[in-house]
Amino acid sequence: MDNLVTSNIRQRPIRTLVSVAGIALGVSLVMLFTGLARGMSNDLQRRASNVRFELLFMRPGAVQLTSTTANLDTRYVDRLKAIDGVEDAQPVIRHFFQGSGGFGFEQIDGVNWEPYSRLNGLNIVEGRGPQGLNEVVIDTTKARNASLHVGDVMKPLGKDEYRIVGVYSPESGARVKLTLEGLQKALEVEGKCTFIYLKLRNPDQVEQMAARINQELPGNRIQLTRDVFTSFEKSIPYLGVFLRVLVGLAAVVSALVVMLAMYTTITERTREIGILKAMGASRGYIVGVIEKEAILISIIGLIAGFVVSVIAGYFIQRAYGLVFEYSWRWALVAAAIGILGGVLGALYPAWRASNLDAVSALAYD
């Protein structure tokens, strides 16, 4: 029977290729979308975990998922420093811009580099910190992924050119940073910032300090830094629902493609099935042949889908800076989609073939 299965696949390469492509499409879509969601979530959390400030002070609505507003007066810095228990306060502008290649989005921070880097534990590994209005520093990951070096020019804000003067480590917050004054002038928001990072004298009293600051400066928003950048998947409404719907659609696509291919196969092989039944083949035998063929096609499509998703993820990450991280859990889900989709898709054609009348099948032209 195994020889019969493999020979059927070899004799119809176009039909087999279409079936494999359909299953590979479903598997690769699941892997790419879930890998992107997981990669972006973990990337944001890694960078957020390297922020050493304990509190974030801002106006309500200043920070959204993909946009920020510089609506906080920097004169709050002195008022915050005057509060007992606050060691330092650093104003930051966070701005989102379109990613390289016109796809996705990236962040850029405007900071007072010397005190910000000192308090946040950032070290220049190559070059120096930004000083001029058109100078930027990037983290080591950005430099490696985008093949950027000290002295290169980039245009994060559109037409204006910014020269890379340094590379820093570890990654923390936005990957691209320039001076606070430089970003204020570029965005025409002099004297404004998006939020103010607060360094506390006693980090163990972070909740008490948040309540004290809120009491002395009411009407603002105070958040614990560790809670700001939550899971990327939880930040986007209904992302979990979208991923589940995507998984369901991938399963349906795989099943329909296999069903169509197997149904066409039954029509093409009606006389062959009639010969098998005339030779005494049982219904179970015929169903087994067709299901084995569907399983073999599904396995080939599954492997192809994994290969396509890994290659596509690599090139998308290199071209657009998006981060993909695949998980075994979603890989098993994708595998189940490919195999079950093929088995269920072939079930009806197999049942139809097993019920063909031997005499009618032999007379089929």
Side-chain angles (χ1 to χ4, degrees), residues 50-53 88 90-92 111-124 128-130 137 168-170 172 177 197:
N50 288 332
V51 174
R52 298 186 181 180
F53 298 96
D88 205 338
Q90 289 298 318
V92 176
V111 301
N112 294 317
W113 176 257
E114 194 282 322
Y116 177 90
S117 60
R118 173 172 46 81
L119 292 169
N120 208 30
L122 304 183
N123 300 304
I124 294 292
R128 58 174 175 80
V137 292
Y168 71 88
S169 181
S172 175
K177 292 180 172 59
Y197 276 129

Side-chain angles (χ1 to χ4, degrees), residues 250-304:
V252 171
V253 168
S254 299
L256 288 177
V257 169
V258 173
M259 180 184 293
L260 180 61
M262 291 295 107
Y263 190 86
T264 305
T265 299
I266 300 309
T267 303
E268 294 174 350
R269 291 158 55 187
T270 301
R271 287 179 59 83
E272 297 175 20
I273 294 171
I275 294 172
L276 288 174
K277 299 201 74 172
M279 294 175 63
S282 65
R283 289 184 177 182
Y285 179 86
I286 294 173
V287 170
V289 170
I290 296 173
E291 285 290 356
K292 277 195 171 185
E293 184 176 344
I295 291 173
L296 182 56
I297 290 174
S298 299
I299 292 174
I300 297 172
L302 180 64
I303 295 172

Side-chain angles (χ1 to χ4, degrees), residues 19-28 30-31 247-259 291 293-306 330-346:
S19 303
V20 168
I23 294 173
L25 175 63
V27 170
S28 60
V30 172
M31 293 300 294
V247 169
L249 287 176
V252 171
V253 168
S254 299
L256 288 177
V257 169
V258 173
M259 180 184 293
E291 285 290 356
E293 184 176 344
I295 291 173
L296 182 56
I297 290 174
S298 299
I299 292 174
I300 297 172
L302 180 64
I303 295 172
F306 283 144
W330 282 110
L332 292 174
V333 170
I337 288 173
I339 301 298
L340 291 178
V343 171
L344 295 177

Side-chain angles (χ1 to χ4, degrees), residues 96-113:
F96 286 82
F97 62 95
Q98 193 173 49
S100 57
F103 188 81
F105 61 88
E106 297 182 40
Q107 306 172 26
I108 185 170
D109 280 351
V111 301
N112 294 317
W113 176 257

